[in-house]
């Protein structure tokens, strides 16, 4: 090595300062140009944004399915769509919302925010992170591509066998469904592992366990739930597809298999799934409530403990399937039991949020307004859950629109309202510009009124006996009026999202400049610039309190001694976050994209011939070797 | 004012065991794959208990190949232990030799697993019992295959100019994962080969 290069390699962040340090670091951590550069990036922020945009696209697609269903149901005896298409619509809607939107959108925020909040420069295993995104993208495209080519699953979002077995459903729809599940679960599992390791090992020095932001705690519990829940559905969907493609007999009662096996495996995942979708929402709420109350969340320790309790209890719910044997009850009891049994830790969380608002000086900006909307709707959903759980009502209304109303209150109240809040809250960090507040408030009015108009009447329809999953109903039933109302509400609700989209586009171009910390928030992501530099922080912060940005004065304690021209980050000990290693973070690489592509081809091929796996595996293996093989000698030291 | 309070320039760039991130990644993957195995076994037991055909379907599996496989696998824990130790001491020569040993052992195990499959008295399509036998054996087989492939690549790597520094940490991590492959087999072996004989 020439002396100059030698010196370059040895430059430390303590040797430089200001603009030069920033420029050098951002060159080291940057993403290449052009298509290859874009596909090779390992920057968690870029991947996080892609995750979010893709999840939003699927939200829109799933929403359009919902709107078509509501248009069909607006009038009795309507013929806009027939029974077959209606089945496909609710299947695609449910599947898209649960797997392609609900789970990934939580991952998106975790991938973008967790590394910033713990004060590190990239997520752990950044190439795996890139891989997971492409796998998710291909899984989603496959399901929707199949839909466009009329390969359409129509057996509901939980794809019950025997309905989904070959004898009943000979087309390829359920195969696409099952492979899509596998894809998205692989992605979710990969991200969970990354988050766990990032939180445990890459926290900024000084960020002891009791200084971890609640958002990050929530995402940690969320990741553990995924790690223990998702293998069940991967196993189940693999068994389903093997039954259909190579003639295994897992679910075939005539050959010693059992239908209930599917149910048990699916719901072992299905119950935690509600919390997998719901927990990121609570993470947003914790961050937003603290910021806009101008005080830390009341009851940090009870909050963390109830999060952990939720993690465990979300699995406990599955047990009730050992007692419930009839198929219909399972569906009806699902969302109810999920919202009931964890009432205590959920109650603790809600109590702590309200106490925080009570004690603070709440500032009613759009993010907080949406959080208040969340409280209202979620509690209403909880109440209808209690009603569902009481037996006499239950026997009357299970598998009616009462259930549809109930779970949309829980899901939309629990996820979409906090999500919109999160978009308004972190948009300035991501783009550097604030979203328009006035439009935000109009959006809230539209969303709140639209949502309740759409879903409240469904409770009444359920009480009047309208079953779910019917494509139409005769005029004599007298359900027309309420259905028309519900459909009008759905349109309003949908429109509120279009308004948000418009606000995002306009604000990204011409919104007010945000600065680093527009809301005067407490956590580390607001110490980075808006949008953050590729390296996130020019100097790794040293943490001495739970609310670093509120407690530090003008005097910023930082860590020194990382190399400037190599991707180095600080690995710390688990509990105390004492600095331990300067670990090299992997550089950009095209191989994760190619690996995801090869995997996708093999999996899709396997729907048509099992040999695709045989021929695909060596290709995937070769690509993986290329991925992991060190490219330079410096990578070894 | 920005004030440097700790200097990390003297810290190592790699280490071993639970100090490094890959170890935690591997542990997480062991957790999720272990959950998969546990659920697979649970499914098998569920059918064994609830299904009336099961006793008739559950033909006994051949004990020869599986016994050989199990013995070789358990014994392989020893060179595996030595690899970990040699890697942590950064002794290139020992690591090279031991990796060659582990590669050979791995290939033998793959061969034995193939023999196990070919000696199965049921096909996956005969009945649910057969499906489960193939599934569990295959699932574990994939883990064996993955780690053997990883070991082979690592062996080659250690014989190139890359065989320094951090690669010792990789070798240690690889050995860590092999313990999971060994340990996860034991319950599977008991359930697949011995339970039906009780
Ligand atoms: C624009 C907002 C939405 C509207 C208008 C809407 C409307 C509907 C309708 C009409 C159905 C079919 C009911 C039936 O025939 O049984 C349905 C089912 C469902 N929706 Fe939504 N929905 C919306 C948003 C969401 C969201 C955000 C989620 C989840 C995060 C969701 C999850 C589901 C699920 C899981 C089903 C059940 C599908 C099945 O039966 O297999 N929906 N929704
Ligand atoms: Cu249940």
């Amino acid at each position: 090595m020439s002396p100059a290069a030698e010196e370059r390699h040895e430059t430390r962040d303590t040797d430089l300062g200001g603009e030069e340090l920033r420029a050098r670091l951002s060159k080291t951590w940057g993403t290449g140009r052009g298509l290859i550069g874009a596909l090779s990036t390992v920057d968690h922020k870029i991947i996080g944004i892609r995750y979010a945009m893709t999840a939003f696209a699927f939200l829109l697609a799933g929403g359009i399915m919902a709107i078509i269903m509501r248009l069909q149901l607006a009038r009795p005896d309507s013929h806009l769509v027939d029974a077959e298409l209606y089945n496909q619509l609710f299947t695609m809607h449910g599947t898209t919302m649960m797997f392609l939107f609900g789970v990934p959108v939580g991952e998106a925020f975790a991938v973008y925010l967790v590394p910033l909040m713990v004060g590190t420069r990239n997520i752990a295993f950044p190439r795996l992170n890139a891989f997971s995104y492409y796998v998710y993208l291909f899984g989603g495209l496959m399901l929707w591509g199949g839909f466009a080519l009329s390969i359409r699953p129509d057996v509901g979002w939980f794809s019950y066998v025997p309905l989904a077995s070959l004898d009943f459903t000979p087309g390829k729809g359920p195969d696409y469904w099952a492979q899509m599940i596998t894809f998205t679960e692989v992605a979710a599992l990969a991200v969970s592992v990354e988050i766990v390791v990032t939180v445990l090992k890459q926290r900024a020095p000084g960020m002891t366990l009791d200084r971890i932001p609640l958002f990050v705690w929530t995402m940690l519990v969320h990741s553990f739930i995924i790690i223990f829940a998702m293998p069940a559905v991967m196993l189940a969907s693999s068994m389903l597809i093997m039954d259909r493609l190579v003639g295994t007999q897992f679910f075939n009662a005539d050959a010693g298999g059992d239908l209930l096996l599917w149910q048990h495996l699916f719901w072992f995942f299905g119950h935690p799934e509600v919390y997998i979708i719901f927990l990121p929402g609570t993470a947003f709420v914790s961050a937003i409530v603290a910021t806009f109350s101008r005080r830390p969340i009341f009851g940090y320790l009870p909050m963390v403990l109830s999060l952990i309790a939720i993690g465990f209890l979300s699995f406990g719910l599955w047990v009730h399937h050992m007692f419930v044997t009839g198929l219909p009850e399972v569906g009806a009891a699902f969302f109810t039991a999920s919202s009931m049994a964890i009432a205590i830790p959920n109650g603790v969380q809600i109590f702590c949020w309200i106490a925080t608002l009570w004690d603070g000086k709440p500032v009613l900006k759009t993010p907080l307004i949406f959080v208040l909307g969340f409280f209202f709707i979620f509690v209403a959903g909880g109440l209808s859950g209690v009603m569902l759980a009481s037996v006499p009502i239950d026997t009357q209304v299970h598998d009616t629109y009462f259930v549809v109303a109930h779970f949309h209150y829980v899901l939309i109240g629990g996820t979409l309202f906090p999500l919109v809040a999160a978009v308004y809250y972190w948009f300035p960090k991501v783009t550097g510009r604030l979203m328009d507040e006035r439009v935000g408030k109009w959006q809230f009015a539209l969303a709140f009124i639209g949502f309740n108009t759409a879903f409240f009447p469904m409770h009444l329809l359920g009480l009047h006996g309208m079953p779910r999953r019917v494509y139409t109903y005769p005029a004599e039933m007298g359900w027309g009026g309420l259905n028309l109302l519900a459909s009008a509400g759905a349109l309003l609700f949908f429109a509120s999202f279009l308004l948000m989209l418009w606000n995002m586009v306009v604000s990204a171009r011409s919104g007010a400049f945000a600065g680093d910390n527009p809301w005067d928030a407490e956590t580390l992501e607001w110490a980075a610039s808006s949008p953050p530099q590729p390296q996130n922080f020019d100097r790794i912060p040293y943490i001495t309190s739970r609310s670093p940005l509120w407690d530090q004065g003008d005097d910023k304690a930082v860590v020194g001694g990382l190399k400037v021209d190599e991707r180095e980050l600080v690995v710390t000990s688990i509990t105390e976050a004492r600095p331990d290693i300067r670990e090299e973070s992997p550089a950009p690489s095209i191989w994760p994209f190619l690996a995801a592509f090869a995997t996708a081809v093999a999996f899709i091929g396997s729907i048509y011939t099992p040999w695709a796996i045989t021929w695909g595996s060596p290709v995937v293996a070769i690509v993986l070797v290329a991925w992991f093989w060190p490219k330079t000698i410096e990578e070894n030291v | 004012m920005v004030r440097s309070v700790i200097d990390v320039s003297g810290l190592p760039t790699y280490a071993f065991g639970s100090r490094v991130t890959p170890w935690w990644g591997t542990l997480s993957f062991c957790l999720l794959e272990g959950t998969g195995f546990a659920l697979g076994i649970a499914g098998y037991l569920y059918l064994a208990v609830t299904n009336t055909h099961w006793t008739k379907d559950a033909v006994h599996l051949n004990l020869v190949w599986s016994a050989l496989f199990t013995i070789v696998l358990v014994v392989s824990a020893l060179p595996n232990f030595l690899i970990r130790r040699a890697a942590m001491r950064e002794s290139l020569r020992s690591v090279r030799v031991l990796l060659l040993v582990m590669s050979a052992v791995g290939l033998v195990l793959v061969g034995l697993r193939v023999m196990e499959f070919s000696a199965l008295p049921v096909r996956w399509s005969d009945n649910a019992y057969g499906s489960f036998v193939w599934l569990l054996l295959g699932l574990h087989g994939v883990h064996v295959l993955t780690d053997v492939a990883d070991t082979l690549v690592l062996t080659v790597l250690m014989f190139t100019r890359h065989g320094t520094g951090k690669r010792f940490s990789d070798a240690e991590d690889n050995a860590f994962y092999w313990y999971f492959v060994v340990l996860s087999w034991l319950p599977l072996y008991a359930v697949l080969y011995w339970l039906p004989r009780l």
Side-chain angles (χ1 to χ4, degrees):
Chain A
M1 239 186 293
S2 68
E6 184 101 30
E7 189 199 282
R8 206 178 63 87
H9 272 291
E10 282 309 314
T11 312
R12 308 280 168 149
D13 52 12
T14 34
D15 304 335
L16 303 171
E19 285 308 313
E20 190 184 359
L21 178 62
R22 170 161 293 193
R24 290 268 287 270
L25 278 170
S26 95
K27 183 156 167 278
T28 305
W29 289 87
T31 290
R33 288 165 188 281
L35 185 63
I36 303 283
L39 292 177
S40 307
T41 187
V42 289
D43 187 329
H44 72 100
K45 299 176 291 298
I46 298 179
I47 309 263
I49 292 171
R50 286 182 194 166
Y51 255 112
M53 298 216 302
T54 312
F56 273 111
F58 284 124
L59 171 65
L60 220 56
I64 290 171
M65 302 275 125
I67 292 303
I68 299 175
M69 287 191 282
R70 282 319 315 173
L71 289 178
Q72 160 71 12
L73 293 173
R75 286 177 302 119
D77 300 310
S78 162
H79 289 291
L80 189 65
V81 300
D82 58 12
E84 193 194 348
L85 182 58
Y86 189 86
N87 288 349
Q88 295 165 350
L89 286 175
F90 75 66
T91 302
M92 285 298 278
H93 168 74
T95 306
T96 302
M97 289 302 192
M98 298 300 262
F99 294 105
L100 296 176
F101 163 70
V103 179
V105 83
E107 310 288 1
F109 279 79
V111 163
Y112 190 98
L113 290 169
V114 165
L116 282 162
M117 283 192 184
V118 301
T120 187
R121 291 201 163 141
N122 205 351
I123 197 165
F125 316 128
R127 290 184 183 173
L128 182 65
N129 191 33
F131 174 78
S132 79
Y133 169 72
Y134 296 119
V135 164
Y136 156 55
L137 178 67
F138 292 145
L141 288 182
M142 180 180 88
L143 187 75
W144 279 85
F147 187 81
L149 298 172
S150 294
I151 307 167
R152 300 175 183 171
D154 56 1
V155 285
W157 78 272
F158 36 66
S159 214
Y160 270 162
V161 279
L163 234 56
S165 72
L166 203 52
D167 299 342
F168 287 84
T169 312
K172 292 285 181 200
D175 304 323
Y176 274 74
W177 184 88
Q179 292 294 44
M180 180 281 303
I181 297 284
T182 310
F183 273 59
T184 48
E185 314 302 72
V186 166
L189 282 165
V191 172
S192 302
V193 171
E194 296 150 23
I195 294 294
V196 166
V197 178
T198 307
V199 175
L200 294 183
K201 294 298 290 176
Q202 290 187 197
R203 302 199 307 278
M207 188 181 280
T208 51
L209 285 184
D210 60 346
R211 291 177 187 157
I212 297 179
L214 283 171
F215 181 101
V216 175
W217 267 114
T218 315
M219 286 307 182
L220 183 66
V221 171
H222 175 250
S223 300
F224 273 115
I225 298 181
I226 289 181
I227 284 176
F228 287 110
M230 294 252 174
V233 71
M234 269 184 70
L235 194 68
S237 63
S238 306
M239 284 158 76
L240 174 61
I241 206 159
M242 284 190 280
D243 266 16
R244 295 176 51 90
L245 297 178
V246 296
T248 52
Q249 311 284 4
F250 293 110
F251 306 123
N252 182 357
D254 295 336
D258 195 334
L259 305 176
L260 282 178
L261 186 59
W262 169 268
Q263 313 249 327
H264 282 307
L265 283 175
F266 189 85
W267 291 116
F268 184 85
F269 142 85
H271 281 292
E273 165 81 346
V274 176
Y275 281 85
I276 292 171
I277 291 190
F278 173 62
L279 274 179
T282 67
F284 306 155
V285 172
S286 289
I288 291 168
V289 165
T291 297
F292 291 99
S293 307
R294 299 276 176 268
R295 59 151 290 161
I297 291 287
F298 173 86
Y300 178 87
L301 189 63
M303 284 291 276
V304 172
L305 292 179
S306 41
L307 276 170
I308 295 172
I310 288 173
F312 281 103
L313 289 174
S314 66
F315 286 91
L317 293 171
W318 162 79
V319 177
H320 83 109
H321 286 281
M322 303 306 268
F323 309 107
V324 183
T325 39
L327 296 195
E329 280 96 311
V330 176
F334 168 45
F335 293 97
T336 312
S338 310
S339 44
M340 290 280 293
I342 313 188
I344 294 172
N346 276 333
V348 170
Q349 289 212 312
I350 293 188
F351 175 80
C352 290
W353 289 324
I354 298 207
T356 310
L357 286 167
W358 200 268
D359 187 58
K361 306 173 216 37
V363 183
L364 277 183
K365 294 276 166 117
T366 307
L368 189 61
I369 297 177
F370 270 91
V371 166
L372 297 179
F374 150 77
F375 287 153
F376 179 86
I377 292 173
F378 192 68
V379 169
L383 289 181
S384 62
V386 175
M387 286 173 74
L388 261 182
S390 59
V391 179
I393 290 194
D394 189 30
T395 44
Q396 235 172 31
V397 299
H398 82 68
D399 271 339
T400 68
Y401 260 85
F402 196 90
V403 178
V404 177
H406 164 61
F407 69 64
H408 280 91
Y409 265 79
V410 174
L411 284 170
I412 295 182
T415 64
L416 278 189
F417 275 72
L419 180 70
V420 176
V423 168
Y424 275 83
Y425 182 61
W426 278 293
F427 187 86
K429 179 50 58 188
V430 176
T431 63
R433 291 172 188 270
L434 288 154
M435 284 175 76
D436 190 284
E437 274 291 316
R438 221 162 41 100
V439 179
K441 285 173 182 149
W442 276 106
Q443 184 195 338
F444 177 77
L446 209 56
F448 194 77
I449 296 171
F451 171 78
N452 286 298
T453 317
F455 291 98
F456 189 77
M458 290 189 197
H459 290 111
L460 305 178
L461 283 169
L463 292 173
H464 292 169
M466 178 164 166
R468 63 186 287 202
R469 294 182 169 180
V470 290
Y471 83 105
T472 190
Y473 50 90
E476 304 86 81
M477 300 305 294
W479 298 333
L482 286 171
N483 266 308
L484 186 60
L485 193 62
S487 297
L491 280 173
L492 280 186
F493 189 58
F494 190 75
S496 80
F497 278 86
L498 298 181
L499 194 60
M500 177 171 84
L501 222 54
W502 180 74
N503 194 357
M504 288 168 83
V505 171
V506 173
S507 304
R509 295 226 209 126
S510 55
F513 284 112
D516 292 355
N517 192 358
W519 313 115
D520 188 18
E522 58 176 332
T523 40
L524 283 179
E525 78 274 29
W526 303 103
S529 55
S530 308
Q533 298 284 316
Q535 69 271 28
N536 290 351
F537 306 94
D538 296 342
R539 299 291 297 272
I540 302 297
Y542 180 78
I543 307 302
T544 52
S545 88
R546 202 177 278 159
S547 309
L549 299 203
W550 284 346
D551 298 342
Q552 78 184 13
D554 286 337
D555 185 42
K556 291 199 189 98
V558 297
V559 176
L562 288 177
K563 286 187 187 168
V564 172
D565 298 301
E566 280 171 39
R567 295 180 169 238
E568 270 189 355
L569 40 80
V570 188
V571 170
T572 49
S573 64
I574 292 204
T575 48
E576 306 273 283
R578 261 179 288 103
D580 189 25
I581 313 175
R582 286 177 294 126
E583 210 173 69
E584 171 112 6
S585 177
S589 162
I590 188 70
W591 292 105
F593 170 77
L594 296 177
F597 186 75
T599 314
V601 171
F603 268 73
I604 297 173
S606 75
I607 293 176
Y608 296 94
T609 160
W611 291 105
I613 295 291
T614 318
W615 295 115
S617 307
V619 178
V620 173
I622 291 169
V623 175
L624 289 180
V625 171
W627 168 347
F628 287 104
W629 195 269
K631 308 298 180 299
T632 64
I633 197 81
E634 283 80 29
E635 276 178 56
N636 304 314
V637 289
Chain B
M1 253 318 283
V2 173
R3 189 167 49 93
S4 231
V5 293
I6 324 184
D7 182 30
V8 296
S9 60
L11 294 180
T13 54
Y14 63 91
F16 296 94
S18 63
R19 286 173 67 191
V20 299
T21 55
W23 191 89
W24 288 93
T26 306
L27 182 70
S28 308
F29 276 104
C30 292
L31 277 183
L32 73 91
E33 287 157 27
T35 309
F37 280 131
L39 289 167
I41 291 178
Y44 177 103
L45 295 177
Y46 176 77
L47 286 192
V49 172
T50 58
N51 199 294
T52 44
H53 298 283
W54 192 267
T55 21
K56 177 175 63 64
D57 291 344
V59 289
H60 297 178
L61 307 183
N62 185 316
L63 289 178
V64 178
W65 295 113
S66 57
L68 280 175
F69 180 90
T70 310
I71 292 168
V72 176
L73 187 70
V74 170
V75 171
S76 75
L78 182 65
N80 195 52
F81 169 78
L82 296 176
I83 280 207
R84 272 196 92 184
R85 218 175 48 175
M88 284 154 107
R89 291 185 187 153
E90 309 203 10
S91 152
L92 183 60
R93 239 179 64 88
S94 317
V95 168
R96 279 179 175 169
V97 172
L98 286 163
L99 273 174
L100 284 174
V101 173
M102 280 306 286
S103 302
V105 171
L107 289 174
V108 168
L109 284 170
V110 171
L112 287 171
R113 179 51 51 86
V114 172
M115 295 314 293
E116 246 183 296
F117 268 115
S118 59
L120 285 181
V122 287
R123 274 170 71 82
W124 64 87
S125 50
D126 290 349
N127 47 46
Y129 170 74
S131 309
F132 258 111
V133 170
W134 281 77
L135 175 74
L136 295 178
L137 214 51
L139 212 56
H140 187 264
V142 169
H143 283 74
V144 175
L145 206 60
T146 320
D147 205 9
V148 170
D150 193 38
T151 308
L152 290 173
V153 173
L154 200 62
T155 310
V156 176
L157 194 64
M158 286 317 253
F159 278 92
T160 67
R161 66 195 173 105
H162 294 295
T164 57
K166 202 181 190 172
R167 303 305 145 207
F168 287 112
S169 183
D170 291 352
E172 192 249 358
D173 195 49
N174 178 262
F176 173 47
Y177 189 69
W178 186 254
Y179 282 134
F180 173 70
V181 175
V182 175
L183 285 179
S184 60
W185 171 243
L186 300 179
L188 286 169
Y189 177 59
V191 166
L192 286 176
Y193 285 89
W194 291 100
L195 196 67
R197 291 171 189 266
L198 291 183

